[in-house]
Amino acid sequence: METTMATKFVAWEVPTLETLKGSKAYILREKLNNGGQMNREEKDWLTENVNSNTYFKSAVPLQGWRFDFSDILRTYIVKQYGHWAEYKATDKTALRNFLYGRIDSIVELNK
């Protein structure tokens, strides 16, 4: 299955996708499209960036472009301080590295 590198998500003019070739999101998406595996640093970076942006739940926005990583992200619900919250992450380790404080429970939701 051919995965798109990125899609434009804004109505105004943005830099071409070519100008973003040196960005972490572009390099990671290209690596995954070519069958590469992520290392721990990349898993942690991706988990942090999909959970800390306000635009998308499973993508990284960059200068008007949407780098979609929904094909490799899993959905987890986390119980922390008596509340449940949903997160997208590459794995439980990356999610633990992203979250602060005591975690009561992490449950992976199956699709």
Side-chain angles (χ1 to χ4, degrees):
M1 180 180 113
E2 180 62 30
T3 308
T4 313
M5 183 60 72
T7 51
K8 184 179 166 189
F9 74 94
V10 294
W12 54 88
E13 287 297 310
V14 295
T16 62
L17 197 51
E18 288 290 308
T19 61
L20 302 177
K21 273 193 173 217
S23 71
K24 212 163 189 167
Y26 189 105
I27 292 166
L28 183 56
R29 184 70 265 174
E30 189 172 53
K31 178 179 183 177
L32 294 168
N33 287 356
N34 294 328
Q37 297 292 313
M38 290 187 292
N39 62 33
R40 173 55 46 209
E41 182 190 337
E42 291 165 333
K43 288 178 180 180
D44 290 350
W45 179 87
L46 181 57
T47 297
E48 180 180 342
N49 279 272
V50 296
N51 287 294
S52 59
N53 81 74
T54 55
Y55 292 98
F56 310 109
K57 284 190 174 291
S58 60
V60 176
L62 181 63
Q63 296 183 16
W65 291 92
R66 176 183 190 264
F67 288 85
D68 187 10
F69 292 97
S70 59
D71 57 320
I72 55 157
L73 291 169
R74 298 176 179 164
T75 304
Y76 296 94
I77 55 172
V78 177
K79 185 176 183 188
Q80 217 177 3
Y81 308 113
H83 298 282
W84 290 93
E86 183 179 301
Y87 295 94
K88 296 281 189 181
T90 52
D91 57 18
K92 283 185 180 181
T93 303
L95 186 55
R96 285 181 191 282
N97 290 342
F98 169 70
L99 296 171
Y100 295 99
R102 186 169 178 270
I103 299 167
D104 297 319
S105 179
I106 297 179
V107 180
E108 182 177 353
L109 299 178
N110 295 327
K111 291 183 182 178

